[in-house]
């Protein structure tokens, strides 16, 4: 283990931890009836929406040409199973299975 | 009823499903770029932030100065500062407990926590979240180590599984977003997803994530004010 790498990892690890911990601990003082609290309640779901947008582009890039097919099949299956049965493990597994099917189709069409 | 930490472990399984292939990929990439297997595993153990770890490996390989590398990785992780305040109201815990729980507050853990914390009995929430975090952290560190030691073998023998598992994270975000997709927030959510995707497409994912979320919250706020005015 190189000392320089270890020190760098510690600096990034401590910095990342501070970014996660300080706002979480500080937020305990927020007034639940205040505007800041209300704004944060709006921000939460939008952060998930933004994470979805970033994540699906990463998936599509990873699948290569035609990558939208497995992505749409996967997320479509997730949506259908979630609406039909609820929960969140089964919809996600269904999404993975449909995505694998989409990738198989993509590869077979591509020769 | 199951113990809260056990329920947390179970609710963390979808995150683990998504982390496994990405963690393996990190282990492979890190060793290919010159890190030892121990250094790759230690990176996941200490930094515990996928995007920053991939960036770190790339910057190290490019010979970027240490201070700049640390600064860029922290800049990429600046979005994490928004997660704590968004879930703090659902987390009745002492500062020391919150300090412990904060370590595992990744993108995916935040998304699960925001969606599922309100459904847990208030007193059990810290332990439930600890369970989710242990599952996520264990899978990330384990997958990184496995990737560093045997990544090529895993990808060679289970290629379809390795390739299709990453969608688990997108599917997880979709499932967690669904309860929020209703008027007057629907339009704001659509704009946020599209804008973040566009930035990611242009290779500016971290910046896009922050901008899209803040703009989306602004639009949602305007929509809710208009709705309230109409109904009054």
């Amino acid at each position: 283990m190189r000392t320089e790498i270890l020190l760098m990892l510690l600096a990034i690890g401590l910095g990342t931890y501070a970014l996660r911990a300080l706002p979480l601990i500080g937020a305990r003082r927020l007034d639940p009836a205040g505007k800041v609290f209300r704004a944060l309640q709006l921000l939460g779901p939008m952060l998930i929406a933004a994470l979805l947008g970033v994540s699906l582009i990463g998936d599509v890039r990873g699948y290569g040409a035609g990558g939208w097919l497995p992505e749409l099949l996967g997320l479509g299956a997730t949506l259908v199973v979630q609406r039909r049965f609820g929960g969140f493990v089964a919809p996600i597994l269904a999404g993975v299975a449909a995505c694998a099917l989409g990738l198989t189709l993509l590869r077979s069409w591509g020769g | 009823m199951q113990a809260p930490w056990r329920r947390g472990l179970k609710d963390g399984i979808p995150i683990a499903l998504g982390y496994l292939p990405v963690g393996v990929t990190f282990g492979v990439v890190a060793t290919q770029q010159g890190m030892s297997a121990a250094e790759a595993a230690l990176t996941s153990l200490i930094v515990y932030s996928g995007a920053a770890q991939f960036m770190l490996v790339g910057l190290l390989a490019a010979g970027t100065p240490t201070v700049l590398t640390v600064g860029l990785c922290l800049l990429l992780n600046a979005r994490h500062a928004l997660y704590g305040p968004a879930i703090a109201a659902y987390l009745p815990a002492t500062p020391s407990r919150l300090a412990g729980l904060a370590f595992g507050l990744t993108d995916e853990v935040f998304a699960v926590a925001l969606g599922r914390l309100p459904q847990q009995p208030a007193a059990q929430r810290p332990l439930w979240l600890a369970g989710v975090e242990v599952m996520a952290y264990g899978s990330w560190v384990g997958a990184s180590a496995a990737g560093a030691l045997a990544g090529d073998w895993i990808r060679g023998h289970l290629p379809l599984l390795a390739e299709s598992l990453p969608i688990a994270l997108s599917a997880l975000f979709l499932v967690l977003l669904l309860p929020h997709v209703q008027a007057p927030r629907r339009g704001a959510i659509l704009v946020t997803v599209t804008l973040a995707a566009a930035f990611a497409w242009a290779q500016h994912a971290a910046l896009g994530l922050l901008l899209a979320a803040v703009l989306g919250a602004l639009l949602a706020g305007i929509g809710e004010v208009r709705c309230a005015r109409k109904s009054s």
Side-chain angles (χ1 to χ4, degrees):
Chain A
M1 166 65 67
R2 291 165 285 178
T3 313
E4 183 199 339
I5 300 272
L6 183 62
L7 289 175
M8 200 183 293
L9 295 182
L10 286 173
I12 299 170
L14 276 173
T16 300
Y17 174 69
L19 283 168
R20 291 172 181 166
L22 297 179
L24 176 63
I25 295 168
R28 289 167 59 250
R29 295 179 188 161
L30 287 177
D31 171 16
K35 282 182 180 170
V36 176
F37 185 83
R38 183 77 199 113
L40 287 170
Q41 278 195 321
L42 288 174
L43 190 62
M46 297 308 151
L47 279 167
I48 300 180
L51 285 166
L52 172 62
V54 168
S55 178
L56 60 89
I57 293 299
D59 293 344
V60 169
R61 279 223 171 93
Y63 302 144
W68 286 105
L69 175 72
E71 189 71 10
L72 286 176
L73 278 178
L75 294 185
T78 299
L79 202 58
V80 169
V81 174
Q82 209 282 335
R83 290 284 190 221
R84 180 74 183 81
F85 302 104
F88 79 133
V89 176
I92 290 166
L93 291 177
V96 172
C99 174
L101 177 70
L103 282 168
T104 308
L105 287 172
L106 201 62
R107 305 286 185 261
S108 64
W109 290 337
Chain B
M1 199 178 189
Q2 264 184 338
W5 63 271
R6 273 181 187 259
R7 287 202 311 278
L9 283 177
K10 194 177 147 204
D11 288 345
I13 289 173
I15 301 178
L17 281 177
Y19 276 5
L20 288 176
V22 185
V24 167
T25 306
F26 171 74
V28 173
V29 171
T31 47
Q32 279 173 349
Q33 297 288 341
M35 272 190 169
S36 68
E39 286 171 343
L42 209 60
T43 304
S44 288
L45 207 65
I46 296 174
V47 176
Y48 189 34
S49 169
Q53 289 179 219
F54 278 102
M55 181 190 255
L56 169 67
V57 167
L59 292 172
L60 277 177
T64 312
T66 305
V67 175
L68 186 59
T69 302
V70 173
L72 286 171
C73 287
L74 292 180
L75 197 63
L76 185 65
N77 282 344
R79 68 189 183 280
H80 291 183
L82 297 175
Y83 296 160
I87 61 164
Y90 306 115
L91 209 50
T94 58
S96 59
R97 270 194 162 189
L98 288 175
L101 290 168
F103 176 78
L105 203 54
T106 61
D107 297 330
E108 296 75 18
V109 169
F110 158 71
V112 170
L114 187 72
R116 312 277 290 188
L117 266 177
Q119 297 163 17
Q120 311 300 320
Q124 296 183 355
R125 288 174 188 168
L127 270 180
W128 173 85
L129 184 56
V132 173
E133 291 185 352
V134 166
M135 174 59 78
Y137 186 53
S139 65
W140 178 252
V141 175
S144 302
L149 293 169
D152 290 339
W153 185 92
I154 294 170
R155 286 144 70 102
H157 286 76
L158 303 164
L160 188 60
L161 187 67
E163 213 179 353
S164 53
L165 270 179
I167 200 177
L169 293 181
S170 299
L172 173 67
F173 293 136
L174 177 65
V175 169
L176 293 168
L177 190 61
L178 285 176
H180 302 283
V181 184
Q182 50 194 314
R185 291 185 184 174
R186 197 176 294 139
I189 286 176
L190 193 64
V191 169
T192 306
V193 174
T194 310
L195 193 63
F199 269 87
W201 190 258
Q203 307 280 8
H204 295 294
L207 176 68
L209 204 147
L210 283 172
L211 282 179
V214 171
L215 180 71
L218 213 63
L219 289 175
I222 292 169
E224 290 194 1
V225 168
R226 278 186 180 171
C227 226
R229 275 186 192 156
K230 268 184 193 172
S231 58
S232 62

